[in-house]
Every structure is written in C-alpha cells, then in structure tokens.
Amino acid sequence: MLRKIRTILAAVFFVLITLLFLDFTGTLHQWLSWMAKIQFLPAVMALNVVVVVALIALTLVFGRIYCSVICPLGVFQDLLARLRRKKNKYSYSKEVKWLRYPVLAVFVLAGVAGIGSLFQLLAPYSAYGRIATMIFQPIWKLGNNLLAMMAERMDSYAFYTIDTWMRSLPVLIIAAVTLVVLVVLAWRGGRTYCNTICPVGTILSFFARFSWLKIRFDEEKCKNCSLCSKNCKAACIDFKTHTVDYSRCVACGNCIDSCKFDALKYSPSMQTKKNASVDASKRSFLLASALVSTAAMAQKKEKLMDGGLAEIEDKVAPQRQTPLTPPGSLSFQNLSTRCTGCQLCVSECPNQVLRPSGDLMHLMQPTMSYEHGYCRPECTRCSEVCPAGAIKKIDQDEKTSIQIGHAVWIKKNCVVLTDEVECGNCARHCPSGAIEMVPLDHDNEDSPKVPAINEAACIGCGACEYVCPSRPFSAIYVEGHEVHRKI
C-alpha cells in the first residue's frame, strides 16, 4: 500500500512539474507554479521559511520522501531505473562518504563564493529544469508544430506553430551530458546520483537519520532471503545485519512490497510480537495526507512572414557591455546571487526573450536578447514563476516603470543611411514613446530622419531592437543596467 501511494503521488508531481516546463502557452503556470516553489533549494534561495521548515519537518516524520515524491530529478531516476527490466538487480553497498560530503562542501562554498555555474550544476531541481527546457521542450514544440501542420490542412486552428530554436549551445551540451550521466547511473545502480552526488539529498539525509517513521526489520520473521536488498534502489539495506542506512533510504516501499515474509514494516518503533499487527493502511493514509497537505500549502508570439518573396537574414545578438536581466530581478547582482539556473523562466517566456547565459561565471542563469522577440510591457510571467526569488513578482503597472536598460543608436547600421530609405520602425513601435524621428541635419528639414532616444523615458523593452530591419546587426540595441531604475 505504501509503495502504491508513493508511486501515484510521485507520478502526479512529476507529470505536472514537467508540464510546467513544457508549457509554451502560459496557462499552466497559474495553477502549477507552486510546484516549483516547494522545491527545497529554490525555497532556500527565496528565503521561504515556511516551505523549508515544512520540508524538514516532513523529513523528520517520514524520512526522505521529498526525494522520492516531490523532487522531479529523483522521480526521473526511478523512471530510468525501471527501464531495466531485470528483477532483483540491486545489492547493498556502503555509503560513499569520500564523494558525498566533499560534493556538498563544494556546493556550499560555490554558493557562498557566488560561483553560480558550479552551484547550479549540482542543484537537482535545476538539473532537471535544464533537461526539460533544453531537450524535452523542443521535442514537445516540434510535436505541436506537426499537429499544427495537420490541422492547417483540415482548415482547423486548434494548434498554431511555435518557433523552435537553440537558446544556448553550452547549456544544451550540459543538459545532454547530465541526462547521459543520469541514464547510466540509474540503469546501473538506481539512486546512485541521488545518494552520492545530489547535495540536497545529502542535506536531507542529516534529518532522515532521526525520522519518526522508518523501514524496520522484524528479525524473527526475516529469513535472510535478500529480496529486500536486491530491490532497494538506494542500496541501503543490509539484510545480513538487518540494518537500514536511513540517510540514503527514500521510503519508496519497494523492500516492503518484495518481502514475502512480512518482515519489514514502515513504523515508528521496532516491531514486537504484541504490536506486530500495526495497521499499515493507516500509516499509508497518514503519509498521503502529509504529502497532499504540503503540496496544498504552497499555493502568441507573432510569426514573421516574408510572403515567400525573399529570405530574411537572421539577426545576430549585439555585444552588450552589461547583460540585460528581467524586470523584477532588481539588479545583475541580485539575479546572480539568488538564481538556481532551473530554466523555468526561460521555458515560460512567451516572447522568446530569455535564454541561458553563455558567460562562464554565470552560465545557465537567464539573460535577455531581442533577436526573436521583445519584452512586452504587459507580460510578467517570468516574475510569476520564479521559485527562488531571483525575479521578484511584479504587476503590469510596475513593469512599465522599471528601466532595465536604455536604447543605443548605431549610425553606421541604420537603413535610412545605408539604403537611403525612410524607416521609423523603432519610433513607431516604442511603447514608452522614448524614440522620435528627427532630421539628421538639424539645419535641413529635408535631410533623412533618424531616431533620437530619450534615455530617461526608455525602459529597455527591446521593441526597437526587435523591429529594426537592419541585418544582421540592428541599428538600435539595448544596453543593460547593472541596477534597475524606476522612472
């Protein structure tokens, strides 16, 4: 019963949080964004004391069920392990202390020192977020586009095509390598990654040792058949000594389910003959109730068309002296300090503005660029889904007053001068009215009109950069501000 309840809850959590990363319509985050906010590391970074205390309390009562139910990377390992159909495939092994605790130390030091790339590389929720965003979401979008093509042939608008492009090659490579490592480790040893590399698993293991409910042996019933050890994906059960390493046990229930002699119980105390008939269904109900209570606690992009007349050259991102960070991130420093690199904001961005940074020190953290869209003043989705507090929640009115950067005109790239044509796209599409077209020669009203930028009114949304017809480099681009300003 314990295993069935745990499996059902894990499947629900995993499917919903994966859909949160895959969703490109912006509808699911209204109901599911809380699932990202109850992840352990984002809650710590967001200083969400309620969630952190609740997860620790959950571990002190039930053991490491966070790892087997709530954490998407933990559940993903279980799915990968199930692909290997061989029965009784595991065996007991001692805790790998020489690797487990140094990894945790490196993780903590990287966080304190501000080495975001290393910190995010080891974070389990962020690792799964990269895999879901960089590998699963493009496949999901391609499937959607295939359905859109089929629907179009039947004069149906049930689906619409979505641009699919590579946001960051380095982060894609990291996600692919992480996926390969997970597949190999899960295939060979089940929860090896979870119990030797994952720093969150190591942190929770300190509390799991003192959990109230634990997997316990009834030595009188045990026949030393070893089925419990052979089915323990955490490799933490030593049937010879009738002991369980509770720092690695994730309370999955596989051992209880496989025991043919009813020698294992998930109970608060050692079983005796007098109390050996503890009602397991009541404990399973208690477990399910606690998990559900914890969960309840946290509560179109435009398509460019060329009419088939000419091939439009892709834009190239300009070299910005200061990176652009999303409205609500307050500053480049605040984003660098709090961001866990989970890619949820990147996957949720409806305007194709956010992508992982390629900077080595801030690799995998979100940065902005406007080759595929611009930051629409009415969109606040990234601030709504960020679970770590790196992007503070803002409303539409507040966003229109936040200056994340300012526009810069590059005279040599402007088509008004290079092609001798009238333009004015940047001025027409500026939502804040910060650009107006003025004569290049102030003494000659008939001279070509070029953009003049009022930096005090510019909010850095990038509409001007996006609509600029100059290729491959825009004649106007947005330079970021290290600290955002209110205008």
Side-chain angles (χ1 to χ4, degrees), residues 331-358:
S331 67
F332 181 75
Q333 180 63 31
N334 179 72
L335 184 74
S336 302
T337 303
R338 290 180 175 269
C339 179
T340 63
C342 71
Q343 310 301 308
L344 183 57
C345 59
V346 175
S347 66
E348 283 285 330
C349 180
N351 305 311
Q352 310 289 342
V353 168
L354 292 177
R355 71 281 315 270
S357 171

Side-chain angles (χ1 to χ4, degrees), residues 1 57 293 308 333 345 392 423 436 486:
M1 188 66 178
S293 299
Q333 180 63 31
C345 59
K392 303 292 185 182
C423 183
E436 63 175 316
K486 285 290 186 71

Side-chain angles (χ1 to χ4, degrees), residues 10 124 168 197 209 322 363 398 411 425:
S168 172
I197 300 175
R209 288 180 171 92
T322 303
L363 195 66
E398 188 178 3
K411 181 178 179 180
N425 265 11

Side-chain angles (χ1 to χ4, degrees), residues 42 105 134 171 217 284 362 406 451 473:
M134 305 304 294
V171 179
F217 275 92
S284 299
H362 305 94
H406 64 274
F473 294 100

Side-chain angles (χ1 to χ4, degrees), residues 155-294:
D155 295 327
S156 171
Y157 297 94
F159 299 91
Y160 58 92
T161 57
I162 298 294
D163 287 346
T164 304
W165 51 284
M166 185 185 299
R167 293 186 174 94
S168 172
L169 180 58
V171 179
L172 174 62
I173 294 174
I174 291 173
V177 171
T178 304
L179 178 60
V180 170
V181 170
L182 283 174
V183 170
V184 172
L185 292 180
W187 180 271
R188 292 171 59 87
R191 286 266 179 167
T192 303
Y193 183 95
C194 191
N195 285 329
T196 57
I197 300 175
C198 177
V200 173
T202 304
I203 292 172
L204 293 178
S205 72
F206 295 125
F207 301 98
R209 288 180 171 92
F210 308 102
S211 64
W212 181 54
L213 291 171
K214 295 177 179 177
I215 304 292
R216 305 178 190 272
F217 275 92
D218 184 338
E219 297 185 21
E220 293 183 2
K221 292 183 177 180
C222 181
K223 306 300 182 183
N224 290 339
C225 67
S226 78
L227 282 177
C228 54
S229 294
K230 291 179 179 179
N231 286 276
C232 178
K233 57 196 172 190
C236 66
I237 299 179
D238 186 356
F239 73 96
K240 296 179 181 178
T241 59
H242 301 118
T243 57
V244 180
D245 182 353
Y246 297 115
S247 71
R248 290 183 290 159
C249 177
V250 294
C252 66
N254 284 2
C255 54
I256 297 176
D257 193 58
S258 62
C259 182
K260 298 179 179 179
F261 306 102
D262 196 29
L264 289 168
K265 298 290 184 181
Y266 184 58
S267 64
S269 61
M270 293 298 290
Q271 296 295 322
T272 64
K273 289 184 178 180
K274 294 182 179 180
N275 63 4
S277 59
V278 175
D279 189 349
S281 63
K282 291 183 179 179
R283 290 196 302 270
S284 299
F285 176 76
L286 181 61
L287 172 62
S289 300
L291 291 173
V292 173
S293 299
T294 303

